[in-house]
């Protein structure tokens, strides 16, 4: 255990080290402003990866810039994934684990990413921010209390007609600026770093093509979160249920005593959903069941339902609720044949990450050294990291400083980009110090 004096000394050294750093050749902000102008919107229900060819425009640019920054083994795969290695500068790099950093290049299919015009609100002095090209688009302090911490900062938004693409060009810019910082400051000692920029995160398909073995890292971090200090090592555990209601259709003119209308059974089933277990009534660590699509028809009706919880036991309990509801509806409609089929989608990455507490601890320390107050936030969704974690690459998620992802009100700030970058620089150093 470290003495308080040693700990203080440690902070003093970290402070001196950071104060003496030479700035990167290009600031995180300038880099970010360049990347958001490149349209990389992904598209649902495509058979190819990447789902849109235009994602190669950013992939090829990043590859070129990585090479210019001295990265090695830079390559763009046929699926549009950019891989690179930043060699360590220690006497023996094999003593430090290879740490990976991953950000995604695509932007959400929900809102256009074409002709993004970033707007800089210099020296923000508080109050709501109205976007210049559409006065109905307002970032309010009420809905975004984090704005109160951005007084004096330069806030970056879109102009109101598109999303900004902070998700996740912030992560791309921050990782690139980290490499730039190492290049300007060879006195910073670090192990080997693996870098990847991925397509199609927003449509959930890019990560399946990720070459975990070729990437060569022992652990990784996705840099794809929001508020400064927010670190995530938990995601949903997720299942999907399909409930099918089999009736019997016949000509309605001669249907007496023959027709069995499955629609009444599906209506009864829908009415049984517990009100306090829905996405619209839950938050924080509380899971839900969510009927999200279906087919309604006399002969055969069906309903698709998402089940989400952080704990497998909670997920089991929700599945039991859905199965009990089947029994109740079946009792009321004995002629309708009702079946339920439940499939596993993904699991909470905490189940694996709990065995690697140093990943979260080091990230927390890196954020503290950047003067931030780190906090853990479970993600009410899945991440590329949850996929990678269960494929043998433990991958928590780090903040980017941004907010309001997937919409026209998206934003980040100069300090958000710089402090996130600083945290990455610190994190790599901490792994080198502790090895
Ligand atoms: Zn993202």
């Amino acid at each position: 255990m470290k003495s308080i004096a040693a700990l203080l000394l440690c902070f003093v050294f970290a402070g001196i080290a950071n104060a003496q750093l030479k700035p990167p050749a290009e600031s995180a902000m300038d880099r970010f402003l360049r990347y958001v102008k490149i349209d990389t919107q992904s598209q649902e229900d495509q058979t190819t990866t990447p789902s849109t060819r235009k994602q190669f425009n950013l992939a090829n640019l990043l590859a070129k810039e990585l090479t210019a920054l001295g990265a090695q083994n830079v390559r763009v795969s046929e699926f549009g994934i950019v891989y690179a290695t930043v060699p360590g500068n220690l006497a023996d790099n094999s003593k430090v684990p290879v740490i990976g950093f991953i950000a995604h290049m695509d932007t959400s299919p929900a809102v256009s990413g074409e002709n993004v015009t970033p707007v800089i609100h210099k020296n923000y002095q508080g109050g709501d921010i109205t976007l210049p090209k559409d006065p109905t688009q307002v970032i309010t302090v009420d809905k975004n209390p984090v704005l109160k911490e951005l007084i004096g900062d330069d806030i970056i938004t879109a102009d109101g007609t598109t999303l900004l693409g902070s998700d996740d060009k912030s992560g791309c810019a921050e990782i690139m600026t980290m490499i730039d910082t190492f290049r300007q400051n060879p006195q910073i000692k670090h192990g080997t770093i693996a870098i990847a920029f991925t397509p199609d995160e927003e449509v959930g398909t890019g990560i399946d093509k990720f070459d975990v073995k070729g990437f060569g890292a022992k652990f990784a971090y996705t840099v794809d979160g929001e508020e400064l200090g927010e670190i995530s090592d938990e995601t949903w555990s997720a299942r999907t249920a399909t409930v099918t209601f089999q009736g019997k259709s016949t000509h309605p003119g001669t249907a007496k005593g023959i027709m069995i209308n499955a629609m009444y059974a599906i209506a009864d089933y829908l009415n049984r959903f517990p009100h306090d277990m829905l996405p619209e009534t839950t938050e924080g660590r509380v899971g839900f069941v969510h009927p999200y699509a279906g087919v309604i028809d006399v002969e055969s009706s069906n309903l698709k339902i998402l089940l989400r919880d952080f704990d497998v036991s909670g997920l089991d309990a929700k599945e039991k609720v859905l199965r009990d509801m089947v029994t109740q509806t079946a009792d009321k409609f004995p002629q309708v044949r009702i079946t339920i089929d439940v499939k596993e989608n993904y699991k909470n990455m905490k189940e694996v990450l709990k065995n690697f507490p140093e990943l979260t601890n080091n990230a927390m320390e890196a954020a503290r050294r950047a003067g931030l107050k780190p906090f853990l936030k479970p993600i009410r969704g899945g991440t590329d990291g949850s996929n990678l974690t269960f494929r043998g690459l433990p991958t928590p998620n780090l903040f980017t400083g941004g907010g309001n992802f997937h919409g026209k009100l998206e934003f980040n700030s100069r300090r958000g980009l710089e402090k996130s970058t600083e945290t990455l620089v610190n994190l790599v150093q901490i792994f080198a110090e502790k090895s």
Side-chain angles (χ1 to χ4, degrees), residues 104 106 166-169 201-202 223-225 405-406:
H104 66 90
D106 64 314
S166 175
D167 176 14
D168 184 26
K169 281 154 186 167
E201 190 271 349
E202 300 292 359
V223 185
D224 191 22
F405 288 176
H406 301 181

Side-chain angles (χ1 to χ4, degrees), residues 165-196:
S166 175
D167 176 14
D168 184 26
K169 281 154 186 167
S170 292
C172 296
E174 288 156 4
I175 292 170
M176 292 297 284
T177 311
M178 169 193 76
I179 301 168
D180 189 350
T181 305
F182 288 139
R183 189 166 174 78
Q184 299 297 325
N185 296 276
Q187 77 277 15
I188 303 177
K189 295 298 165 200
H190 61 85
T192 302
I193 306 163
I195 304 293

